[in-house]
Amino acid sequence: MDIGVKKPGVTSSQVAEHAGVSQSAVSRTFTPGASISSKTRTKVLASAKQLGYRPNAIARSLITNRSRIIAVVMAYLENLFYPDVLEELGRALAAENYHLLLFTGFMDRDSDPVFDQLMQYRVDGIILASTSLSSELSEECATAGIPVVLFNRTTERDAVSSVTTRNKEGGRRIADFFVAGGHKTFGYIAGLENSSTNRDRQQGYVEGLAALGFDTVVIETGNYSRPDAEAAARKMFSRADRPEALFVANDHMAVAVMDVARHEFGIRIPEDLSIVGYDDVGPAKWTSYGITSMSQPVKRMVEATVEILMDQIASGEIEAEHRILNGDLFVRTSARLPAAGIVMRDGQQIYRPKEA
Amino acid sequence: MDIGVKKPGVTSSQVAEHAGVSQSAVSRTFTPGASISSKTRTKVLASAKQLGYRPNAIARSLITNRSRIIAVVMAYLENLFYPDVLEELGRALAAENYHLLLFTGFMDRDSDPVFDQLMQYRVDGIILASTSLSSELSEECATAGIPVVLFNRTTERDAVSSVTTRNKEGGRRIADFFVAGGHKTFGYIAGLENSSTNRDRQQGYVEGLAALGFDTVVIETGNYSRPDAEAAARKMFSRADRPEALFVANDHMAVAVMDVARHEFGIRIPEDLSIVGYDDVGPAKWTSYGITSMSQPVKRMVEATVEILMDQIASGEIEAEHRILNGDLFVRTSARLPAAGIVMRDGQQIYRPKEA
DNA sequence: CGCTATTCTGCATACGTATGCAAATTTGTA
DNA sequence: TACAAATTTGCATACGTATGCAGAATAGCG
């Protein structure tokens, strides 16, 4: 069925003429807080409805110099953590009357074209949630004077805002948990080696173990990717010194690692091997996996992210702000339980070594 | 660190002045195919680079009446199928120099605000990939003269374009597969009852079974949601006439159903129960599940979607087009195997009852 | 070299809205 | 009723770019 050519679109001037007022009046009708009498307002609204008028956001942006668009850069969505974040971001931004321009589906490191697009649309803010290509891109954006928030990531120079959780403490808590469970040998499946999350989790874990008297940690790298994690798991489980406690840097990899352990090596979990993951994302909760996992509070992280952006947009001041939130170690069936320290909260078991 | 107030942004006029040419010349430099000598072009490009100029897409949109933005509406991203689609869409649209405005994170059925936003940004096209809120919204958009494509969904009145796979044939193939595997009793866990995918899959399945002489199919409804699917599974498995072959309307639910079957009811898969899903999405391939599943070719579906949109945008003609693609039944470990009909393709087992 | 045909260029204007300013209207008060 | 104060209104202009048009520059050709 052919509906024909694209309709021209109703303009404020047309509405003005139809309502017998000036174009300014129409504009003011649709500008909250503008000076307009309720009489003309209703008159305008009636005409607008009749003509099917909707303010042209493009034209508005041009004059206000505000696009009400936030760019979100996520290199990949394979790890369910990111779709979760995206969905929550959609909600939070919509509540603030902002919109979400998504940049995804490019694995390569050519951040320049992305940056170009961002700049061309004069986005009001940028959320960088991809683990790679953050550093250069964030520098560029900050230089351009656009508010940027790194999501679940930080950079060395902390000139750009970020929202993260206490990854180092998380790693340390997992070390505590393993040792409290009576484990003696430890392994780690690393994420992307140059990512801050991986660095912090690993450091906290290794330091935590060292503080408890365990100096050796067997390490393989899974690069936060499923195939790499499988390969890492195979190497890990083929070692003569296969550890009995294994921290996998995120749940996305932990799922793969568990599959390899059980179905390729016949390892029983948690009898032969304890596994702890990170993110507490969907599949971790599925009974087939039941992964004991450090949570990252997505909702609160998103709220903090949006809050920072809104503040910076409103004030025009780009003052780097770092929000660091707390997670909890949700205890399920993938790791041996310690004798003490497990408490209930909201019907879930979490590990709290000392009363906090 | 405070970088100060937002930079004003370099305009084409400033570049023009710096390069000693007119603003038109600058515009033409950045408009492919415009009439400009290579001499002035290089001059302009030099000045542009020096000043850090980037064309303002907002202003450009205002005059060309083309935003180069495609709106994508996805109610929820919990089912990994949709993040997959999103990632692929990101790639495909970027290749055409289009951008992706994402609307997600609203479960409620208030489609009107969404529609308002779409219209305000004068998007060049709309992709509706959420199973709910499609009908009304698509009507509205079509009336407004904006190209719309329904992704993985159709409506009764087929005035609006759509991209789907042969869901009815898929259901039928699954019926064939089950019967060929020697099953005698059959069940179905339904998706959203008013969705076209669910309707077609169910119809094909039931008709296929009937054609083979089996008239009773036990049905529970999971609404394409994980919690609902778990509840449906519990009801299904508590029945006296629990079927031995169960088609679950998508993999997202099938995973939940398998977990309930194994861990709550102690049902062995595939010894006691054969399960087949739909979508062939991530977790279906994980060894813990190994779901035999009808695939939907995401990449090709996305290509078709973008192609339709680009055609309609270029021609200005909104002629409803329906692309229906083929899927394959990927055979894994969740269902008993038939004696014949399984062939290898690209290292994967698929079910092809007759040579096609 | 002179003429025409072609390619480039700049001028002016348009896109649809927001907003400062001054005029017009309404409201409040004595 | 009369006047000041407060509110509302319309006018004009600006935002940054694209583009039709006419004139300027260049190329082509005998």
Side-chain angles (χ1 to χ4, degrees), chain A residues 229-264:
Chain A
E230 288 175 345
R234 289 187 191 106
K235 277 164 76 180
M236 177 72 73
F237 299 141
S238 304
R239 298 178 70 121
D241 57 347
R242 175 210 294 175
E244 49 172 0
L246 182 59
F247 170 26
V248 185
N250 70 5
D251 289 346
H252 177 62
M253 293 195 297
V255 167
V257 171
M258 283 181 72
D259 277 352
V260 169
R262 284 174 171 160
H263 303 112
E264 294 183 23

Side-chain angles (χ1 to χ4, degrees), chain A residues 57-192:
Chain A
I58 302 284
R60 182 190 302 230
S61 298
L62 185 57
I63 191 137
T64 58
N65 211 16
R66 288 270 147 84
S67 61
R68 298 201 84 81
I69 291 178
I70 302 291
V72 175
V73 183
M74 276 183 185
Y76 64 103
L77 304 176
E78 196 195 342
N79 175 357
L80 253 181
F81 178 72
Y82 288 106
D84 272 6
V85 169
L86 205 49
E87 202 174 320
E88 209 60 60
L89 274 175
R91 250 189 286 276
L93 289 176
E96 301 279 352
N97 226 318
Y98 272 80
H99 304 94
L100 195 165
L101 200 61
L102 179 66
F103 292 85
T104 187
F106 48 92
M107 319 303 271
D108 20 27
R109 58 199 71 270
D110 52 348
S111 72
D112 272 357
V114 173
F115 178 68
D116 253 37
Q117 312 294 340
L118 294 189
M119 294 301 295
Q120 291 194 11
Y121 276 95
R122 301 295 196 264
V123 297
D124 290 343
I126 300 171
I127 299 172
L128 292 177
S130 69
T131 42
S132 52
L133 70 76
S134 297
S135 298
E136 327 118 52
L137 199 52
S138 61
E139 294 285 331
E140 291 185 274
C141 297
T143 315
I146 301 178
V148 181
V149 178
L150 297 180
F151 189 96
N152 202 27
R153 174 126 170 71
T154 55
T155 53
E156 314 70 44
R157 314 185 39 233
D158 55 6
V160 46
S161 300
S162 64
V163 173
T164 55
T165 59
R166 301 189 192 286
N167 287 296
K168 207 186 280 190
E169 278 79 355
R172 193 181 297 268
R173 167 121 9 134
I174 291 167
D176 285 355
F177 178 82
F178 276 152
V179 173
H183 298 88
K184 303 290 182 202
T185 56
F186 307 91
Y188 179 65
I189 304 249
L192 276 172

Side-chain angles (χ1 to χ4, degrees), chain A residues 54 67 99 116 121 259 288, chain B residues 54 67 116-117 121 259 288:
Chain A
R54 305 181 197 261
S67 61
H99 304 94
D116 253 37
Y121 276 95
D259 277 352
S288 287
Chain B
R54 302 179 199 264
S67 61
D116 253 37
Q117 312 293 338
Y121 275 97
D259 277 353
S288 287

Side-chain angles (χ1 to χ4, degrees), chain B residues 1 4 21 63 107 120 123 174 189 229 259 306 316 320:
Chain B
M1 181 185 136
V21 296
I63 191 138
M107 318 303 271
Q120 291 193 11
V123 296
I174 291 168
I189 303 249
D259 277 353
V306 172

Side-chain angles (χ1 to χ4, degrees), chain A residues 200-215:
Chain A
D200 292 350
R201 288 169 196 177
Q202 176 167 350
Q203 192 182 342
Y205 180 58
V206 172
E207 287 180 6
L209 288 174
L212 294 165
F214 297 95
D215 286 324

Side-chain angles (χ1 to χ4, degrees), chain B residues 341-355:
Chain B
I342 295 182
V343 301
M344 291 294 290
R345 210 192 51 189
D346 301 334
Q348 303 245 50
Q349 289 190 315
I350 64 174
Y351 179 64
R352 279 275 174 79
K354 42 198 163 218
E355 273 66 52

